[in-house]
Amino acid sequence: MKMRLAKSLLIAAGMIPALAMASHWSYEGHSSPEHWGELSNEFKECQAGKNQSPVDISHPLEAHLAPLNVHYTQGPVSLLNNGHTLQASFDQKAQNTLTIDGVKAELQQFHFHAPSENTINGKHAAMEMHLVHKESNGDVVVVAVMFEVGAENPALATLWQKIPQNTDKSVALDAQIDMNALLPTDRTYWRFSGSLTTPPCSEGVIWLVMKHPLTLSDAQLKTFKALMHHDNNRPTQPLHGRVVVE
Ligand SMILES: [Zn+2]
């Protein structure tokens, strides 16, 4: 009853846009990760899900995983600061693919989190990149690459040059980068089942976290952090009996 009254008052006050904003989420304050599940019915899985990401990777189980089967060429074509992350997108999705369990998945986009979302033995990397692939049935496979501060990263340098000045305005990238340069030479990885790390936190995502990090310079990390204004990592979530394999 109270709810209904509050709602009608808002409507009376012409505040419909405020209601529509109910599913706004962020990394700070009232719409921060611990509240995501309460912000919208569509975000329920963020709170109720038992296979949520990110996770802490410790005590992995030896499972003789198949070598990472990626066919990467070049890309991406555009860069967007959507306020939550810096995201690079492709137009021809079939250009970069990954095959896992005999199923092909196409690279849709990649984006960054600082500090890292997944942790290794409780420790964050300076930054984490998520390469988001989609199978034809809609299932998502994320390849995560950690970055530690060290030598400047040439591939990131090409992207960082074009960082959009405005939020929600995508910029075209003229120079292509070799997508293989965004994977470590040693492509051994950890695998587990998880979710999207942003609302709606949908589960059924295959996570492949590369064991070996790449580097970026302190200046490159600072540029990204200044762009985001705040940390953009969701805290690690309970495993609830899940196993990380290697
Ligand atoms: Zn991500």
Side-chain angles (χ1 to χ4, degrees):
M1 200 57 187
K2 258 182 188 164
M3 263 307 278
R4 193 173 294 169
L5 180 65
K7 228 175 198 177
S8 58
L9 281 174
L10 285 171
I11 292 165
M15 288 179 70
I16 303 285
L19 284 175
M21 286 285 287
S23 56
H24 166 82
W25 59 272
S26 72
Y27 290 100
E28 295 178 310
H30 297 301
S31 52
S32 65
E34 55 270 34
H35 301 295
W36 287 352
E38 308 151 11
L39 296 175
S40 156
N41 230 7
E42 294 159 43
F43 298 174
K44 270 195 305 204
E45 223 168 344
C46 300
Q47 197 166 38
K50 293 274 190 274
N51 293 289
Q52 292 288 294
S53 287
V55 300
D56 178 49
I57 299 166
S58 49
H59 314 295
L61 229 70
E62 180 61 57
H64 304 286
L65 293 172
L68 188 74
N69 185 358
V70 288
H71 183 260
Y72 278 2
T73 57
Q74 50 173 216
V77 296
S78 65
L79 206 52
L80 170 74
N81 172 7
N82 63 17
H84 301 301
T85 190
L86 178 66
Q87 183 171 308
S89 301
F90 299 82
D91 56 355
Q92 293 170 310
K93 307 273 199 290
Q95 252 184 337
N96 296 284
T97 60
L98 171 149
T99 304
I100 183 146
D101 305 334
V103 182
K104 194 179 266 190
E106 296 178 347
L107 180 60
Q108 312 286 309
Q109 47 99 343
F110 62 93
H111 60 264
F112 303 89
H113 301 270
S116 70
E117 296 208 293
N118 291 293
T119 55
I120 298 161
N121 295 320
K123 278 193 70 183
H124 288 276
M127 189 173 83
E128 180 173 346
M129 174 178 62
H130 291 158
L131 297 144
V132 182
H133 306 73
K134 227 176 222 174
E135 296 177 354
S136 57
N137 67 0
D139 284 354
V140 176
V141 184
V142 180
V143 173
V145 181
M146 301 295 180
F147 288 80
E148 295 293 1
V149 173
E152 187 190 58
N153 188 297
L156 292 188
T158 305
L159 296 178
W160 268 212
Q161 269 174 17
K162 293 285 180 176
I163 283 178
Q165 295 305 309
N166 302 315
T167 316
D168 291 326
K169 268 216 176 115
S170 172
V171 295
L173 295 167
D174 31 30
Q176 296 268 285
I177 56 170
D178 175 5
M179 285 305 296
N180 294 289
L182 284 174
L183 290 175
T185 320
D186 181 330
R187 295 176 177 182
T188 50
Y189 61 94
W190 292 288
R191 175 178 178 167
F192 54 91
S193 171
S195 72
L196 303 179
T197 66
T198 56
C201 308
S202 318
E203 297 187 341
V205 176
I206 297 175
W207 279 86
L208 308 173
V209 178
M210 306 307 293
K211 287 186 178 182
H212 293 267
L214 295 177
T215 64
L216 86 170
S217 68
D218 190 43
Q220 287 179 314
L221 180 63
K222 282 187 174 135
T223 301
F224 177 70
K225 287 187 162 184
L227 186 73
M228 292 292 110
H229 304 296
H230 52 73
D231 290 353
N232 70 336
N233 67 304
R234 182 189 195 193
T236 54
Q237 304 294 307
L239 280 169
H240 290 299
R242 278 175 291 169
V243 185
V244 176
V245 295
E246 64 180 347

